[in-house]
Amino acid sequence: MSSAYYRQIWQTVLAIPPGKVASYGQIADLAGLPGRARLVGKALGLSPEPLPWHRVLRSNLTLAFAPGTADALLQRSLLLEEGVVFQGQRVCAHYRWQPDLSELLFSLQY
């Protein structure tokens, strides 16, 4: 897989504002890689620099890790610190990142 794809994914994840979340599929779409949600997960694990990985969720707005695991507890804790609200195991839809056109044009430069 091209490292250019990973850079596109990393730039997109870096653009998620604090207090907002995005799904793996949404990140793939915004990075110009539709249908490559699994590649997003792989890219997050290979990042050479710290990324706000905790802002990336499953498509149903649940945590990326199995409930009760150390990784899930850490992800939930980091999101709560940013003011993200949960309803049970899901993040409230209000917190989904919906970038506007100017964000897409000026912050996601590939």
Side-chain angles (χ1 to χ4, degrees), residues 36-92:
R36 306 300 300 268
R38 289 184 182 193
L39 183 61
V40 172
K42 183 176 180 181
L44 288 176
L46 296 174
S47 175
E49 64 181 76
L51 293 175
W53 61 268
H54 61 283
R55 297 178 188 147
V56 184
L57 306 175
R58 294 178 179 157
S59 61
N60 64 359
L61 296 181
T62 58
L63 298 176
F65 305 96
T69 62
D71 289 330
L73 295 173
L74 176 59
Q75 186 176 29
R76 184 181 182 97
S77 169
L78 291 170
L79 289 170
L80 288 170
E81 285 178 20
E82 292 185 359
V84 174
V85 175
F86 286 78
Q87 289 179 327
Q89 297 298 314
R90 293 178 187 216
V91 167
C92 296

